[in-house]
Amino acid sequence: MSSEYNSKLIDRLYQSSNEEEAERIEEEMLEIADPVFIFPLLAAYRKFKGASNAHYFVSALNHIESREVLDVMIDIVSDPNVEPLIFTYALESFQKYEYFQPQMVLSAKLILFNFVSEYTNISLENLLEYLSKAGIIIEVDTSLQAVFETDKFDTEERSTSLSYLIKSDSKKWLQFYIDNHSRIVNKSAEIILSKTLMSWKGPLVEQLKEKIATGGGPRAKEIIENSRRKEAKEEEEKEKKELSSHPNSKVIQNIIEMRGKVNILSSTNPNIGFNIFPSRESIYKQLEAATTEAGLRSACLELREFFQDIDKNVGEHGLELDQAAKIIPGLVQQDFNKSINQLHLFLSSKGLIINPDLYGLRSLHKLVALFAHPDAKVDLVSLMERVNIADFYKKEDWVALHRHILELYLTFLEKLHGALDNFSKRPTETGR
């Protein structure tokens, strides 16, 4: 049935003497895209090549999957009088079948040069994409710049040229308009540039945006400001969505980053020389917020292990129990080798001033340990009151309580980081 229908379409196209009727038939052929239509469409193009819609037949050929189309397109553009518009439509198939013969590429370049000087009717997007895939877009960058900066071209053509100009060498051209912003201030080119920058990212893009935001024309400034407001709103909405689905995600991200910063300070300090915290993925288990008391109890069991996860090198402090008990009053032998005590002793042995609670880590560790024992409720509530999170427990707001426990750990990390940072900045003592 389809072969019969296609045959009738072909017959109608051959019989058609009206370009509008032929266009309607071409539209059906384009939708079907059967290779049997290749030569009928070629014949229709030749019949109506002087008409304003002649490029539609070439466009329909581009949609047919057959290398035979390439031969037809070569035949079409071999006509010395072929219209530039037709030529640039044929480039779509040349690009598809990677036909980048030197003479064809040169002809494409000449069409661009003529377009700049004479403003001929072409498919600029097809032309620039072909030159880009041919690897020579950088050779025509001054032509692209001319199209972008010249008012005689329409906005879409100028925007297209600017996009390919930046793609040709983004570092060169972004820096160029940073250094030469004054040449386009208060001109339509500045507005086009502002809109184009909305889809680009990177340090130079941000510099150029800032240049426009501080010294650009009113409309260009407005575009940048509106874009920034939109980005800020989208980021806010993204964070809200993330918090609603994973309320612990932000604090966990901050914990991971702060542990990394602590490790940088400790490993680069000659008095320490190693990462205090091993790299562990167990913290990611805390992404799933606890919604029940039992769920939070389970999370606290995992957190207790995580809080104790400290590099064994902290045991290299050289202190005996009697010396250690002067630093941690009440320390007994059975607790001497526990990792949190070892960290406290190690940092003290290096000259850091450590408060008895080790920047809050001791209280926090005790809190999660008590939470794991339902019979310790009185002590647990008392400790929660000391760290200002008891209300969440009394209201049974397990999600908020879970997050605040993580935030207390983050506070410990921040204080530890500050202490190590100050320690690293001390002048190195020299022997006398």
Side-chain angles (χ1 to χ4, degrees):
M1 182 64 73
S2 61
S3 296
E4 181 181 347
Y5 184 79
N6 290 350
S7 296
K8 289 180 179 179
L9 280 178
I10 292 169
D11 181 62
R12 284 172 56 201
L13 186 60
Y14 277 127
Q15 297 298 325
S16 175
S17 59
N18 181 284
E19 62 193 60
E20 292 180 359
E21 180 189 1
E23 183 183 330
R24 288 193 292 272
I25 299 169
E26 167 269 321
E27 288 172 351
E28 283 197 68
M29 290 181 168
L30 184 149
E31 187 176 338
I32 298 169
D34 191 316
V36 74
F37 297 139
I38 292 175
F39 288 99
L41 284 168
L42 174 61
Y45 160 71
R46 286 173 172 163
K47 183 189 295 186
F48 300 109
K49 69 178 181 179
S52 60
N53 64 353
H55 59 288
Y56 289 175
F57 303 103
V58 178
S59 179
L61 284 166
N62 285 324
H63 286 79
I64 297 174
E65 295 296 329
S66 170
R67 284 195 67 89
E68 200 166 20
V69 171
L70 177 61
D71 295 329
V72 169
M73 292 298 188
I74 293 172
D75 181 56
I76 288 173
V77 301
S78 65
D79 180 356
N81 296 316
V82 66
E83 292 291 331
L85 178 62
I86 300 299
F87 187 101
T88 53
Y89 265 82
L91 290 176
E92 189 173 330
S93 285
F94 293 155
Q95 178 189 322
K96 182 194 297 185
Y97 297 108
E98 299 182 349
Y99 186 76
F100 299 112
Q101 294 298 319
Q103 185 57 48
M104 192 62 65
V105 174
L106 177 60
S107 297
K109 286 175 67 175
L110 289 174
I111 284 181
L112 178 60
F113 296 150
N114 290 334
F115 174 73
V116 174
S117 60
E118 301 174 12
Y119 191 38
T120 49
N121 187 21
I122 64 171
S123 172
L124 184 61
E125 179 76 39
N126 278 359
L127 176 58
L128 298 185
E129 186 64 15
Y130 180 77
L131 293 174
S132 178
K133 290 294 172 61
I136 64 159
I137 196 72
I138 198 167
E139 296 177 17
V140 296
D141 56 359
T142 53
S143 293
L144 300 177
Q145 182 188 14
V147 175
F148 160 56
E149 293 189 9
T150 306
D151 288 339
K152 75 176 182 179
F153 300 100
D154 68 38
T155 300
E156 185 176 349
E157 290 167 339
R158 297 172 70 185
S159 179
T160 299
S161 294
L162 175 61
S163 293
Y164 280 92
L165 180 65
I166 296 175
K167 288 177 186 177
S168 72
D169 190 335
S170 58
K171 185 176 180 180
K172 170 185 173 180
W173 287 104
L174 288 170
Q175 190 63 55
F176 176 85
Y177 284 109
I178 290 171
D179 297 336
N180 300 279
H181 175 235
S182 58
R183 70 187 278 145
I184 59 171
V185 170
N186 281 314
K187 295 180 179 178
S188 57
E190 186 188 33
I191 296 172
I192 294 170
L193 175 60
S194 300
K195 291 179 178 178
T196 300
L197 290 176
M198 299 306 99
S199 59
W200 288 77
K201 301 290 182 184
L204 287 177
V205 172
E206 295 307 315
Q207 284 184 45
L208 186 47
K209 285 181 181 178
E210 186 61 26
K211 190 89 173 182
I212 296 170
T214 55
R219 177 57 184 145
K221 282 183 177 180
E222 183 182 36
I223 291 168
I224 298 296
E225 289 166 1
N226 287 343
S227 171
R228 286 177 169 175
R229 280 194 290 268
K230 182 181 177 183
E231 287 176 0
K233 186 176 181 180
E234 288 175 350
E235 187 62 30
E236 183 181 348
E237 292 298 322
K238 181 181 176 183
E239 286 189 11
K240 285 181 180 178
K241 186 176 181 180
E242 184 68 24
L243 282 173
S244 64
S245 57
H246 294 96
N248 295 338
S249 59
K250 188 68 175 178
V251 65
I252 288 174
Q253 179 184 342
N254 291 337
I255 285 171
I256 294 168
E257 290 177 359
M258 190 53 64
R259 277 170 67 103
K261 289 179 180 180
V262 167
N263 281 341
I264 289 172
L265 286 178
S266 65
S267 62
T268 56
N269 189 304
N271 289 313
I272 301 176
F274 61 88
N275 292 337
I276 288 177
F277 300 113
S279 179
R280 297 284 187 264
E281 295 183 358
S282 58
I283 188 62
Y284 290 109
K285 295 179 180 178
Q286 305 296 320
L287 277 170
E288 195 68 35
T291 56
T292 64
E293 185 172 10
L296 184 53
R297 186 174 295 117
S298 176
C300 284
L301 284 170
E302 292 170 347
L303 281 173
R304 183 170 61 176
E305 292 184 17
F306 183 72
F307 294 163
Q308 295 170 348
D309 192 16
I310 299 167
D311 193 279
K312 63 182 181 180
N313 282 309
V314 296
E316 303 297 323
H317 47 69
L319 299 172
E320 300 296 334
L321 178 60
D322 59 335
Q323 298 169 302
K326 295 177 182 178
I327 298 170
I328 307 175
L331 182 66
V332 296
Q333 184 64 53
Q334 67 185 41
D335 296 331
F336 181 70
N337 289 318
K338 290 182 178 179
S339 60
I340 292 176
N341 289 329
Q342 291 292 299
L343 174 62
H344 192 146
L345 295 171
F346 180 83
L347 295 175
S348 294
S349 73
K350 298 302 177 182
L352 276 78
I353 307 301
I354 311 296
N355 66 11
D357 199 29
L358 188 52
Y359 310 120
L361 181 59
R362 290 189 182 283
S363 294
L364 183 58
H365 180 261
K366 184 178 180 181
L367 189 152
V368 296
L370 288 172
F371 208 102
H373 296 86
D375 56 348
K377 185 174 180 179
V378 174
D379 291 337
L380 175 62
V381 173
S382 176
L383 182 52
M384 285 185 175
E385 285 175 344
R386 292 212 320 260
V387 295
N388 300 314
I389 60 173
D391 285 346
F392 301 112
Y393 180 76
K394 293 172 183 177
K395 294 175 183 177
E396 298 187 356
D397 189 346
W398 311 118
V399 173
L401 184 55
H402 190 182
R403 187 175 69 254
H404 278 77
I405 289 172
L406 292 168
E407 288 173 350
L408 286 172
Y409 181 67
L410 176 60
T411 299
F412 151 71
L413 291 174
E414 290 169 344
K415 289 180 178 179
L416 176 59
H417 179 268
L420 288 171
D421 190 35
N422 290 332
F423 179 63
S424 299
K425 292 175 181 175
R426 292 181 191 175
T428 304
E429 294 185 3
T430 56
R432 287 186 247 180

